[in-house]
Amino acid sequence: MVHTTASQSDGFAAPPPPRTVPLRPMPVPADEAEARARAFYEVMERRRTVRDFDDRPLPDGVLENAVRTAATAPSGAHVQPWRFVVLTDPERKRRLRAAAEREERAFYGRRASDEWLAALAPLGTDEHKPFLETAPAVIVVFEVHRGPHSPRPYYTKESVGIAVGFLLAALHQAGLATLTHTPSPMRFLNEVCERPAEERGAYVIPVGYPAPGAHVPDLRRKPLDEVMIRL
C-alpha cells in the first residue's frame, strides 16, 4: 500500500522543508541583562518628537545604517513590505511640504472633529509644516502592497509599524531627532516620491539635529503599572 499526504492525493506536491541556517545569538550574561535593558530604556526615554530642526547636514552613512536596521524588523511571511524613500533634494522637499500642507489645511479646517482638535491642542500642531523643508532629510515610508513586481504581503501595517519603530530607535541612537508625520490622505506621496500605485504612503519622517534652543511640549509618559500587566 502506498501512503500519500493529503496534498499529494489532491494532486499537489508537498512543499519542501524550509531552508535553515544556524542562529547567531547575542549572548548576554544573566547578571548583565537587567542593566543592559535599563541602559537602553534610559537612552530611549530621552527620545522626543521634534518640530524645530537645524538644517546642518547629517554624517555620512547614518541614514543608510538606520534604514538597514529598520529592514531587520520581522514581517508577515517575511515579505518585507516596506520601502524607505530618502529625500534630501531641497526642491523635492519643497514640493513635499506644499502638498502636505494642502492636506493639512483641509484636515484642520474641516475634516478633524472638535474632539480630535482638542486632543492635538497640547502638542501645538497646526497646518504649517516647515520641518519638511528645514530638516536635512525626510524619510517617506511606504507600505508595499501586491502589484506587478511585488508579492502579496501579510500583516502589512503591523510589519511596517515595527520597522518604523526600529528606524526611530536607530536614528535616536545616532543622536538625531525625528518626527512621525502622517498626513491623510497620502496619495500625493506617490507623485512626489515617484513610486508606483502598489506602494502606499504610511509615514513621513523628518530627520536631523534639533534646532539650538528647541523646546518640546511638557508631556508625561504613562508609568509602568499603567501599561504593563503581569499574569
Side-chain angles (χ1 to χ4, degrees), residues 22 41 152 169 182:
Y41 157 71
R152 176 183 176 183
T182 54

Side-chain angles (χ1 to χ4, degrees), residues 71-104:
T72 69
S75 62
H78 194 58
V79 174
Q80 305 167 80
W82 43 62
R83 192 84 69 226
F84 301 89
V85 179
V86 179
L87 306 183
T88 56
D89 175 64
E91 174 58 21
R92 187 86 62 167
K93 291 190 295 172
R94 186 199 64 76
R95 287 172 53 199
L96 174 66
R97 177 184 178 182
E101 288 187 340
R102 279 196 297 271
E103 297 297 345
E104 293 296 283

Side-chain angles (χ1 to χ4, degrees), residues 108 114-126 217 219:
Y108 283 94
D114 290 341
E115 182 181 18
W116 197 342
L117 292 175
L120 291 172
L123 305 179
T125 63
D126 58 25
L219 305 176

Side-chain angles (χ1 to χ4, degrees), residues 49-159:
T49 292
V50 170
R51 291 179 170 81
D52 297 314
F53 287 86
D54 196 329
D55 62 0
R56 61 181 161 133
L58 305 179
D60 291 341
V62 172
L63 295 176
E64 290 82 357
N65 283 309
V67 172
R68 284 191 180 102
T69 299
T72 69
S75 62
H78 194 58
V79 174
Q80 305 167 80
W82 43 62
R83 192 84 69 226
F84 301 89
V85 179
V86 179
L87 306 183
T88 56
D89 175 64
E91 174 58 21
R92 187 86 62 167
K93 291 190 295 172
R94 186 199 64 76
R95 287 172 53 199
L96 174 66
R97 177 184 178 182
E101 288 187 340
R102 279 196 297 271
E103 297 297 345
E104 293 296 283
R105 283 193 292 272
F107 171 81
Y108 283 94
R110 63 178 186 276
R111 290 181 189 149
S113 66
D114 290 341
E115 182 181 18
W116 197 342
L117 292 175
L120 291 172
L123 305 179
T125 63
D126 58 25
E127 67 273 22
H128 301 102
K129 309 298 176 186
F131 45 76
L132 294 176
E133 282 193 271
T134 307
V138 179
I139 302 176
V140 183
V141 185
F142 288 85
E143 300 171 356
V144 181
H145 292 260
R146 192 169 200 165
H149 307 291
S150 55
R152 176 183 176 183
Y154 302 89
Y155 300 103
T156 308
K157 290 190 180 299
E158 295 86 345
S159 300

